[in-house]
Amino acid sequence: MSLRKPTKALPNMAEADIAIVRIAPESSFKNKAYDALKDAILKMDIYSTPEPVMLDERALSERLGVSRTPIREAIAMLEQDGFVKTVPRRGIMVVRRTKSEIVDMIRAWAALESMAARLITTTARKKDITALRDFFKDFGKDRLPEDHVEEYSRANIAFHQALISLSESPVLVDLTNDLLLHVRGYRQLTIGRKDRTATSLPEHLGIIEALEARDTELAEKRARDHTLGLAAYVEAHGQELFT
Amino acid sequence: MSLRKPTKALPNMAEADIAIVRIAPESSFKNKAYDALKDAILKMDIYSTPEPVMLDERALSERLGVSRTPIREAIAMLEQDGFVKTVPRRGIMVVRRTKSEIVDMIRAWAALESMAARLITTTARKKDITALRDFFKDFGKDRLPEDHVEEYSRANIAFHQALISLSESPVLVDLTNDLLLHVRGYRQLTIGRKDRTATSLPEHLGIIEALEARDTELAEKRARDHTLGLAAYVEAHGQELFT
DNA sequence: GGAAGGTTTTTGGCATACCACATGCCAGAA
DNA sequence: TTCTGGCATGTGGTATGCCAAAAACCTTCC
């Protein structure tokens, strides 16, 4: 597949070996539009207003300086992702998730993460596991997480993503990232979590310890219970968010 | 919604009561094309030939009797699903999964299904759990699964889907169905499983028993181990498939 | 005979025009 | 004043046509 005629194209091809970096494929407008729209949707605060946020193909095509065609293809992709929903002759609306949908997603996340923990205990290098502690090195008795919620929240997300990555399972990584993108829209998941941060840090460390000890069952259980705890928290305290 | 002003519009409106049936919404070509292509892709045996299967926009638009635009939008959606990959100026190819990708997907499936089992022990009705046995009522000592692999395989898939559905978690259901669609392409997962069917049935029954007993931990474990067993099986015996 | 180089063909990317339908406004009738 | 039918307008859906780049083909010259 790579080369059609490998017969005698080698001798004077030494130049081909020097740092030729495969020129930028120059992504298509479709993909650029997809990235731009996805980014914009994730940034906007969909839940601040009661009316659904609507998108307009023509307006978007003008703003992005391309025709409607690539915009529409990008919209079709976003719809597959579940970020928007287009209704014929009505408009394209940014999807608003209900509380139970968010809780549901967090549960799925818990499932995937606990499987990641399980895999990690059998394959990851000790060094990489220990490195997970670094995400929280700025927090401790003298600098409590609950006093730096924003910062801790970022470390929290980074930790979870790093954890999943250690599983070296592309499927787990991708699925989890998708779920996180949806869940993340809820600012209150971060802010309101203030009273959860206190218990969060010890739980994280507990997960790391179990991983280091190669205790498969325990690591799996701790990872699961930790995230299920978040789900339960949202289910109990996330009321005000969802009108 | 049905009638705006019931105040005085009744007397001579008898004609409005005659069989008006709510006209069909008539899905768009884009979605029809998506369904048709997805169906076709799932049906084709991608692994029978060494060369990748290519699709052609213009040919498809002709075959389906619509223009390229809706086809392209459908392709964009399928690409999001991971079923095809379009390379500029080269073509659209049906994605072929490697063995490790399949194994990876089955592991994620195991994670989701074990979470489903966990949820079921706390929410599902006894009646619905017991109904899961029906999928295997045609098999027993006098009619061994390994003697009717095709049929058992169908029952198997149906069982797993019904199991996940009992969790009443749309996210788990959707994610699992997506994974199954990808995994399913491997006919050998069905055929080669002949030597696995023997152990499969007892394991299924074991899961059902744990669910009925509302033993959360055990149900979760059995569901997970059962599917992880399939992953291990594919990892060990799926060699011949992937060239 | 074979290879370099030019030309045609193929293929996806994009822009544009037009269509059908949902809505809202508004004149005119009741 | 209130209601109704029609028209203007806006929105997504679809069809077409052209373009650039890559691949295939073909010509020509050593």
Side-chain angles (χ1 to χ4, degrees), chain A residues 47-73:
Chain A
Y47 301 95
S48 56
T49 75
E51 315 89 54
V53 179
M54 305 293 285
L55 301 180
D56 181 281
E57 286 183 3
R58 290 168 226 267
L60 291 174
S61 79
E62 224 171 301
R63 293 261 312 248
L64 295 179
V66 298
S67 80
R68 286 175 57 207
T69 307
I71 299 288
R72 283 181 56 75
E73 290 174 347

Side-chain angles (χ1 to χ4, degrees), chain A residues 72-73 104 118 169-170 224, chain B residues 72-73 104 118 169 224:
Chain A
R72 283 181 56 75
E73 290 174 347
D104 202 10
R118 160 171 285 263
S169 160
R224 168 170 33 79
Chain B
R72 283 180 56 78
E73 290 173 354
D104 201 10
R118 159 171 285 263
S169 160
R224 168 171 33 79

Side-chain angles (χ1 to χ4, degrees), chain A residues 26-175:
Chain A
E26 196 58 48
S27 176
S28 63
F29 286 169
K30 170 182 71 176
N31 290 304
K32 286 181 181 174
Y34 173 76
D35 291 338
L37 292 178
K38 186 168 173 180
D39 190 61
I41 289 175
L42 293 177
K43 274 201 176 74
M44 65 175 66
D45 191 1
I46 344 174
Y47 301 95
S48 56
T49 75
E51 315 89 54
V53 179
M54 305 293 285
L55 301 180
D56 181 281
E57 286 183 3
R58 290 168 226 267
L60 291 174
S61 79
E62 224 171 301
R63 293 261 312 248
L64 295 179
V66 298
S67 80
R68 286 175 57 207
T69 307
I71 299 288
R72 283 181 56 75
E73 290 174 347
I75 296 286
M77 293 192 283
L78 288 169
E79 189 162 12
Q80 282 302 102
D81 291 339
F83 288 119
V84 302
K85 169 77 182 167
T86 114
V87 183
R89 268 133 233 137
R90 200 63 66 85
I92 303 158
M93 65 185 69
V94 179
V95 171
R96 303 159 66 94
R97 307 298 285 202
T98 65
K99 188 183 80 169
S100 72
E101 283 176 323
I102 293 295
V103 171
D104 202 10
M105 288 183 181
I106 298 177
R107 287 209 193 95
W109 168 19
L112 298 171
E113 189 158 313
S114 72
M115 177 59 74
R118 160 171 285 263
L119 296 179
I120 290 171
T121 59
T122 66
T123 63
R125 289 177 304 180
K126 163 107 185 185
K127 184 179 125 239
D128 293 331
I129 296 175
T130 304
L132 290 174
R133 296 180 191 277
D134 291 347
F135 288 106
F136 305 108
K137 67 173 187 297
D138 291 340
F139 303 96
K141 288 196 202 73
D142 53 333
R143 196 159 181 281
L144 296 171
E146 48 264 52
D147 295 331
H148 306 270
V149 177
E150 270 298 327
E151 189 184 343
Y152 180 76
S153 179
R154 273 194 298 277
N156 184 33
I157 297 280
F159 164 74
H160 282 287
Q161 292 189 319
L163 174 64
I164 305 266
S165 295
L166 277 188
S167 72
E168 295 186 36
S169 160
V171 175
L172 292 182
V173 170
D174 291 346
L175 288 178

Side-chain angles (χ1 to χ4, degrees), chain B residues 101-167:
Chain B
E101 283 175 324
I102 294 294
V103 171
D104 201 10
M105 288 183 181
I106 298 177
R107 288 210 192 95
W109 168 21
L112 298 171
E113 189 158 313
S114 71
M115 176 60 73
R118 159 171 285 263
L119 296 179
I120 291 171
T121 59
T122 67
T123 64
R125 289 177 305 181
K126 165 108 184 177
K127 185 179 125 235
D128 293 331
I129 296 175
T130 303
L132 289 174
R133 295 180 191 278
D134 291 347
F135 288 104
F136 306 109
K137 67 176 187 295
D138 290 340
F139 303 97
K141 288 197 201 71
D142 53 332
R143 195 159 182 282
L144 296 172
E146 48 265 51
D147 293 333
H148 306 269
V149 177
E150 270 299 326
E151 190 183 343
Y152 180 76
S153 179
R154 273 193 298 277
N156 185 30
I157 297 280
F159 164 74
H160 282 286
Q161 292 188 319
L163 175 64
I164 305 266
S165 295
L166 278 188
S167 72

Side-chain angles (χ1 to χ4, degrees), chain B:
Chain B
M1 268 310 273
S2 53
L3 290 177
R4 272 166 308 168
K5 300 211 168 179
T7 46
K8 59 175 183 179
L10 286 180
N12 44 14
M13 286 294 280
E15 10 118 16
D17 283 1
I18 60 176
I20 303 290
V21 287
R22 180 77 178 169
I23 201 167
E26 195 59 48
S27 173
S28 65
F29 285 170
K30 171 182 69 176
N31 290 305
K32 287 182 179 172
Y34 172 76
D35 292 338
L37 292 178
K38 187 169 172 178
D39 190 61
I41 289 175
L42 293 178
K43 275 201 177 73
M44 66 176 65
D45 191 0
I46 344 175
Y47 302 93
S48 56
T49 75
E51 314 91 53
V53 179
M54 304 295 285
L55 301 179
D56 180 277
E57 289 184 2
R58 290 169 226 266
L60 292 174
S61 81
E62 223 172 304
R63 295 262 309 249
L64 295 179
V66 297
S67 79
R68 286 175 57 207
T69 307
I71 298 289
R72 283 180 56 78
E73 290 173 354
I75 296 285
M77 293 193 284
L78 288 169
E79 188 162 12
Q80 281 303 102
D81 291 340
F83 287 118
V84 302
K85 168 79 183 166
T86 121
V87 182
R89 267 130 232 138
R90 200 64 65 87
I92 303 159
M93 64 185 69
V94 179
V95 171
R96 303 160 66 94
R97 300 289 174 190
T98 65
K99 188 183 79 169
S100 72
E101 283 175 324
I102 294 294
V103 171
D104 201 10
M105 288 183 181
I106 298 177
R107 288 210 192 95
W109 168 21
L112 298 171
E113 189 158 313
S114 71
M115 176 60 73
R118 159 171 285 263
L119 296 179
I120 291 171
T121 59
T122 67
T123 64
R125 289 177 305 181
K126 165 108 184 177
K127 185 179 125 235
D128 293 331
I129 296 175
T130 303
L132 289 174
R133 295 180 191 278
D134 291 347
F135 288 104
F136 306 109
K137 67 176 187 295
D138 290 340
F139 303 97
K141 288 197 201 71
D142 53 332
R143 195 159 182 282
L144 296 172
E146 48 265 51
D147 293 333
H148 306 269
V149 177
E150 270 299 326
E151 190 183 343
Y152 180 76
S153 179
R154 273 193 298 277
N156 185 30
I157 297 280
F159 164 74
H160 282 286
Q161 292 188 319
L163 175 64
I164 305 266
S165 295
L166 278 188
S167 72
E168 295 187 37
S169 160
V171 175
L172 292 182
V173 171
D174 291 346
L175 288 178
T176 308
N177 278 336
D178 285 351
L179 287 175
L180 279 179
L181 288 182
H182 284 284
V183 170
R184 241 174 155 175
Y186 293 80
R187 303 210 172 286
Q188 274 73 355
L189 275 192
T190 312
I191 298 168
R193 196 156 37 181
K194 190 168 175 30
D195 47 333
R196 248 187 72 78
T197 40
T199 61
S200 175
L201 184 51
E203 287 181 9
H204 285 163
L205 297 181
I207 293 172
I208 297 174
E209 283 165 15
L211 291 175
E212 288 175 327
R214 307 290 177 179
D215 188 333
T216 303
E217 303 301 324
L218 186 61
E220 180 179 70
K221 175 178 168 49
R222 283 184 177 169
R224 168 171 33 79
D225 290 349
H226 169 64
T227 304
L228 279 182
L230 174 58
Y233 178 86
V234 172
E235 188 161 39
H237 300 86
Q239 212 63 261
E240 66 279 3
L241 262 180
F242 313 82
T243 56

